Amino acid sequence: MKRTIPLVALLALATACSGGAATAPTAQGDQPAATAAAGFQEQHKGGTLKLLAKAGDGTLDPHINYSNGNWQIFQAMYDGLLAFKKVGGQASYELTADLAEAMPVAAEGGKSYTFTLRKGVKFANGDEVTVDDVKASFERIYKASGPTSGTFYAGIEGAAACVKKPQDCSLDKGVVVDKATGKVTINLVEPDSEFLLKLALPHAVVLPKATPAKDQSTKPIPGTGPYVAQSYDPNKELKLVRNPHFTEWSREAQPQGYPDEILYSYGLTAEAAVTAVQNGQGDWIFDPLPADRLTEIGGKYASQAHVNPLSAFWYLPLNTNIAPFDKLEARQALQWAVDRNALVKIFGGANVAQPACTLLPESIPGHADFCDYPQADLAKAKQLVQQSGTAGQEVAVTVSDDEISKQVGEYVRSVLEQIGYQAKLKVISTNIHFNYIQNTKNDVQVSVTQWYADYPAASDFLHVLLSCASFREGSDSSINIAGFCDKDIDARMTEAMTLDLTDKNAANAKWGEIDRELMRQSPIVPLFNPKQVDFVSSRVGNYQFHKQFFMLVSQLWVK
């Protein structure tokens, strides 16, 4: 069950750091799913919802973008055959039919799924959604070199050839459509126990068949949701307006939105954004709240704060293909050098984050309780650096320009100096950071980034982030940022995913063993598991927290 952390608990560390005393009422929790099920409340329709962030969250192309910020926004813009229910609480992990009329029934032992497309659903450009759009959208995942084309959707028949030659992709056998009946049949090479979950993600949304097969970047693509992007400048703002062709077909899958406009403004620091929300000049902040503002928020503004646990972690991907982290000892040295408790303090304290000993968060099936790097040991780290033969080498830590990332990066830089490297901090704009650190052409040695679960499965962390299939040289969509490829571990992950079809407990045990081996090889240094703190303006109502995609933006009231 979802639990909400009382905000007063967040103040313990903030009070200790500030030297002051503070008490606060309990923060509001996410509202139950029954709120959404009550039906649309016409009296709250209208107004402009004002969201704030330091910068845009990358491309607006849903088949390409892999950031939690835009994935959250995409929930109000796009639809796939299936969706996670757009409600708060535990029910948000449940699937429902979206552009499909009903949930499919598996055939051929889980290797085939047939859907019937809903009639009458239109894109924001006025065109009705057809089965041809569905097929073209799946082919576009490969043609546009989507970041999960070689992982999430690699099991579709014909996908292997599409991954090798994206421009020539054809899924004639993998996605079979019938215009007369409106049926779409997806055929898999092997059963995949997680496939339906993957169909509910933004990378599988249906777009107009004429959408160019390349990243559309800042150019909005027509979708089927209640909102459409009128304009997008990642350095200025994203403006969403109502889709004039939207009619609610399923409140669970895609509810009508409340605000007339959603204006996402970029440029304010987190400090300035907090002040703007307090003054009613903004309604919500995307970026992590500054630790020195928690006491203030927890006192006077406690009723406007919502705290929820996340299946996520902050981590350091270490480039295993270039010096110094092409040496195992150098990677393990950084594992030993990092003081995860110190990083938790930088983030805001023990009640907004906890140290991460493993790659799999506690909430993910397959998590195993072990901690092979229990506390910082600089002496051991220095010894490993010497053994690696990399002492004295130059190392750049690449971070985005938000305050928390810069502080974490500066800490990592200082640790690298202490264990024998010549380290520097490289700060780049948030709106390009995530793509930049993925591209091997940029020779990023180590970076600070985060990963939030796409859905609750071990494969979504270990296989997506560290499989050979997730590594693409020279691509902005190479989610295996470490460039790690171990054929034996790949085989073990495939075995675990296959076993999940018949014995989930045994599969989970295997994932725990794989996690431990990956911690030994150290292509990634996990830092801490965060919690989500949403601070909203006093006029905002109907707050609901979705386990997959966080606060349901379209369901907020501003009148």
Side-chain angles (χ1 to χ4, degrees):
M1 294 292 291
K2 175 170 288 300
R3 66 187 182 92
T4 299
I5 314 298
L7 189 63
V8 66
L10 302 182
L11 303 178
L13 180 66
T15 301
C17 292
S18 65
T23 57
T26 301
Q28 297 178 4
D30 55 311
Q31 298 183 5
T35 301
F40 189 78
Q41 300 187 46
E42 193 71 29
Q43 71 273 24
H44 292 294
K45 181 180 179 181
T48 298
L49 177 66
K50 300 176 181 178
L51 312 179
L52 304 172
K54 179 69 170 59
D57 215 12
T59 176
L60 204 60
D61 191 324
H63 284 170
I64 303 296
N65 188 285
Y66 211 164
S67 63
N68 62 305
N70 278 358
W71 273 32
Q72 181 182 38
I73 290 294
F74 290 160
Q75 299 311 299
M77 298 174 65
Y78 299 103
D79 297 274
L81 292 171
L82 304 179
F84 289 99
K85 292 180 179 178
K86 290 184 175 62
V87 297
Q90 191 67 24
S92 62
Y93 269 152
E94 298 174 8
L95 291 175
T96 188
D98 193 354
L99 294 181
E101 288 183 347
M103 293 293 294
V105 175
E108 297 186 30
K111 292 171 61 177
S112 181
Y113 295 92
T114 298
F115 306 81
T116 300
L117 192 66
R118 288 185 192 272
K119 296 179 181 178
V121 178
K122 293 183 177 181
F123 292 111
N125 62 6
D127 294 342
E128 186 167 340
V129 179
T130 69
V131 292
D132 287 339
D133 296 309
V134 176
K135 183 181 179 183
S137 294
F138 276 99
E139 290 178 340
R140 185 179 186 269
I141 295 172
Y142 306 94
K143 290 180 178 179
S145 297
T148 52
S149 57
T151 52
F152 287 175
Y153 311 107
I156 297 175
E157 194 167 338
C162 288
V163 170
K164 290 180 180 178
K165 293 185 177 181
Q167 69 277 9
D168 298 328
C169 179
S170 173
L171 295 177
D172 287 345
K173 294 182 179 180
V175 182
V176 181
V177 301
D178 187 324
K179 296 179 183 180
T181 62
K183 292 191 180 299
V184 177
T185 299
I186 301 178
N187 297 312
L188 306 179
V189 176
E190 297 292 343
D192 180 354
S193 65
E194 301 168 7
F195 186 68
L196 296 185
L197 297 171
K198 298 167 185 175
L199 291 184
L201 300 177
H203 289 168
V205 299
V206 177
L207 304 176
K209 61 185 177 183
T211 305
K214 62 179 181 179
D215 183 1
Q216 294 300 282
S217 185
T218 61
K219 183 179 180 180
I221 303 173
T224 48
Y227 295 93
V228 60
Q230 187 177 83
S231 60
Y232 177 51
D233 180 343
N235 295 306
K236 184 180 180 182
E237 70 178 26
L238 166 65
K239 185 176 182 179
L240 303 185
V241 298
R242 290 192 182 277
N243 175 0
H245 300 284
F246 176 80
T247 300
E248 185 178 286
W249 59 81
S250 167
R251 186 148 186 82
E252 278 189 337
Q254 188 59 280
Q256 182 180 174
Y258 283 98
D260 284 337
E261 293 184 349
I262 300 174
L263 187 64
Y264 215 142
S265 299
Y266 309 125
L268 289 181
T269 64
E271 286 279 354
V274 167
T275 301
V277 171
Q278 290 172 342
N279 294 336
Q281 297 168 313
D283 294 310
W284 174 77
I285 305 162
F286 170 75
D287 302 295
L289 301 182
D292 62 1
R293 302 298 291 272
L294 290 179
T295 299
E296 178 186 10
I297 293 170
K300 186 176 180 180
Y301 303 96
S303 63
Q304 296 166 225
H306 307 261
V307 186
N308 293 278
L310 297 171
S311 297
F313 72 157
W314 281 55
Y315 70 101
L316 307 177
L318 308 181
N319 192 329
T320 59
N321 296 308
I322 61 175
F325 300 116
D326 54 345
K327 304 295 185 184
L328 174 62
E329 295 88 352
R331 301 196 297 270
Q332 292 177 335
L334 193 52
Q335 291 275 27
W336 282 109
V338 168
D339 184 341
R340 291 166 173 83
N341 288 307
L343 287 162
V344 165
K345 290 181 180 180
I346 289 173
F347 190 70
N351 291 291
V352 293
Q354 63 184 38
C357 269
T358 61
L359 301 181
L360 294 177
E362 291 181 5
S363 58
I364 296 296
H367 168 83
D369 288 324
F370 66 89
C371 196
D372 293 340
Y373 307 93
Q375 59 186 11
D377 189 334
L378 289 177
K380 187 165 189 171
K382 291 177 182 177
Q383 182 181 19
L384 284 166
V385 170
Q386 292 297 324
Q387 290 176 8
S388 71
T390 62
Q393 291 185 7
E394 295 182 352
V395 180
V397 183
T398 304
V399 301
S400 59
D401 60 358
D402 66 276
E403 292 305 313
I404 296 294
S405 293
K406 287 193 292 185
Q407 291 175 39
V408 171
E410 175 56 30
Y411 170 81
V412 174
R413 186 206 63 77
S414 68
V415 165
L416 287 167
E417 287 274 358
Q418 291 178 62
I419 62 176
Y421 293 109
Q422 299 181 55
K424 65 180 181 180
L425 195 64
K426 181 175 182 178
V427 181
I428 61 177
S429 175
T430 299
N431 64 50
I432 65 169
H433 173 264
F434 194 53
N435 288 343
Y436 183 90
I437 62 177
Q438 293 181 67
N439 198 317
T440 55
K441 294 178 181 177
N442 297 320
D443 289 330
V444 176
Q445 295 165 293
V446 54
S447 55
V448 176
T449 191
Q450 312 91 41
W451 184 255
Y452 295 79
D454 300 310
Y455 54 87
S459 64
D460 187 50
F461 283 78
L462 306 187
H463 189 255
V464 170
L465 294 180
L466 293 169
S467 69
C468 299
S470 290
F471 177 54
R472 289 195 178 105
E473 291 191 62
S475 170
D476 284 354
S477 297
S478 181
I479 199 62
N480 182 345
I481 302 169
F484 179 80
C485 179
D486 185 299
K487 297 294 186 181
D488 289 338
I489 290 181
D490 255 32
R492 290 169 63 183
M493 289 195 285
T494 298
E495 183 182 354
M497 288 187 286
T498 301
L499 189 58
D500 187 62
L501 291 163
T502 56
D503 191 337
K504 291 188 180 296
N505 289 334
N508 288 340
K510 284 191 176 295
W511 283 119
E513 294 168 1
I514 294 168
D515 191 353
R516 192 158 202 167
E517 174 60 19
L518 286 168
M519 286 298 294
R520 187 191 72 80
Q521 295 208 32
S522 298
I524 280 177
V525 177
L527 303 177
F528 55 85
N529 303 114
K531 295 183 177 70
Q532 179 71 20
V533 184
D534 287 321
F535 179 44
V536 299
S537 69
S538 59
R539 70 171 184 156
V540 166
N542 201 38
Y543 176 93
Q544 298 172 65
F545 188 81
H546 192 282
K547 279 183 170 287
Q548 290 295 121
F549 305 116
F550 311 152
M551 180 184 74
L552 293 173
V553 172
S554 71
Q555 297 307 292
L556 296 178
W557 302 334
V558 291
K559 64 173 291 184

